[in-house]
Amino acid sequence: MSSIWSTTIRPGGKWSGTISRGRLVRFTALEAGANLAMLLYHAGDLTERYNMPDTLKAQHTSHLTRGNVLMSDNGRSLASIVDDQLGWHDPISGYTSRAATDSKYGKTTYQELRNEWLHSGQENLAVELVRNGLGVRDLMPVVNLFSKVYCDERGSMHYSLGHCPAGASVTLRTDMDVLLVLSNTPNPLDPRAEYPSVPVQVEVLKAEAVQDDDYCLNYRPENRRAYENTQEYYLLQGL
């Protein structure tokens, strides 16, 4: 299937844009060891956004993969993971800060290095939020695509090195009109001493209409309720 639109987010780069419902968004790691921090908002009402606690609680999971629905704080399905070559994406580790980036990789400034300075996830996401009429107060938990973070029996969190090979991809289907905000910056738990972010390709493609036997729809009973809430919203909007 040919893409409608595509772009490549360079290491340390950022992007945001509105994508209409009924689209596929395919993310591909162009090198090994990628991490892409992602925020989602309802484009028609930016006060509605991805809700990490409800998404994980409703689907009895601490990681995301094919079949999982990214639920909003109004109980709707913002997007669904319809294809996944990795089987695990991290929704719990958050994003890097300026202080943590400087401490881990060495202090850098734009004035000295221009576009080669080391961006933090917090700064990248904040810039894109402001561009879309939001701000720092609208920052929230991200989904770290391509990263695997797990907890041991003592509750300590661990980053899995080697989880993401070059060419790995994950595909979302937009179930609502969404504002997507992306930051190609390291996972905060990545133990590598060098700034590890790699290029990530983003493609938008057409999606088929959701049928009653859809895998994501039937993955859990809570998913069906989220889809029904989404359908009700657009029905009442006359869309």
Side-chain angles (χ1 to χ4, degrees):
M1 186 183 298
S2 60
S3 62
I4 299 172
W5 172 90
S6 67
T7 191
T8 297
I9 305 178
R10 64 177 182 80
K14 58 190 182 299
W15 182 87
S16 63
T18 298
I19 302 174
S20 64
R21 63 179 175 137
R23 293 286 186 265
L24 299 177
V25 187
R26 182 168 61 202
F27 304 91
T28 304
L30 299 183
E31 299 174 17
N35 182 81
L36 189 69
M38 177 178 68
L39 297 172
L40 291 98
Y41 302 79
H42 173 199
D45 178 2
L46 295 175
T47 64
E48 181 179 7
R49 65 275 310 268
Y50 164 67
N51 186 302
M52 180 267 277
D54 285 355
T55 293
L56 301 185
K57 177 181 65 177
Q59 297 174 94
H60 301 187
T61 188
S62 63
H63 68 276
L64 299 172
T65 185
R66 179 175 178 257
N68 288 136
V69 168
L70 304 181
M71 298 180 184
S72 80
D73 45 17
N74 283 343
R76 302 184 182 114
S77 172
L78 286 169
S80 307
I81 302 178
V82 297
D83 187 63
D84 180 19
Q85 296 180 356
L86 291 173
W88 192 301
H89 301 270
D90 162 42
I92 59 178
S93 296
Y95 43 78
T96 52
S97 66
R98 177 77 266 146
T101 300
D102 288 348
S103 174
K104 191 170 187 177
Y105 306 111
K107 186 174 182 179
T108 61
T109 65
Y110 174 79
Q111 288 76 10
E112 293 177 351
L113 299 176
R114 294 298 190 256
N115 289 335
E116 299 304 314
W117 77 297
L118 303 183
H119 296 243
S120 75
Q122 184 179 35
E123 291 165 318
N124 276 358
L125 296 170
V127 167
E128 293 303 316
L129 289 175
V130 169
R131 287 177 174 171
N132 290 280
L134 298 170
V136 174
R137 64 178 293 181
D138 298 294
L139 283 167
M140 58 186 183
V142 298
V143 176
N144 283 308
L145 297 174
F146 304 112
S147 286
K148 179 177 181 179
V149 172
Y150 63 94
C151 295
D152 62 23
E153 294 180 353
R154 301 177 63 181
S156 299
M157 296 168 63
H158 301 275
Y159 178 89
S160 182
L161 281 169
H163 174 64
C164 174
S169 69
V170 56
T171 303
L172 303 182
R173 178 183 61 218
T174 54
D175 300 318
M176 301 187 75
D177 300 330
V178 297
L179 169 64
L180 197 64
V181 182
L182 306 171
S183 176
N184 187 2
T185 41
N187 188 293
L189 296 184
D190 191 322
R192 287 175 286 184
E194 294 186 4
Y195 194 82
S197 188
V198 301
V200 174
Q201 184 182 40
V202 184
E203 301 171 271
V204 176
L205 309 93
K206 292 182 180 179
E208 296 181 357
V210 177
Q211 304 297 326
D212 197 56
D213 63 349
D214 182 80
Y215 184 77
C216 298
L217 173 67
N218 294 287
Y219 192 72
R220 292 212 45 90
E222 292 86 350
N223 292 17
R224 181 173 287 273
R225 287 195 286 272
Y227 275 100
E228 290 172 349
N229 291 339
T230 300
Q231 292 173 342
E232 179 183 63
Y233 171 82
Y234 283 107
L235 178 64
L236 294 175
Q237 294 289 314
L239 300 174

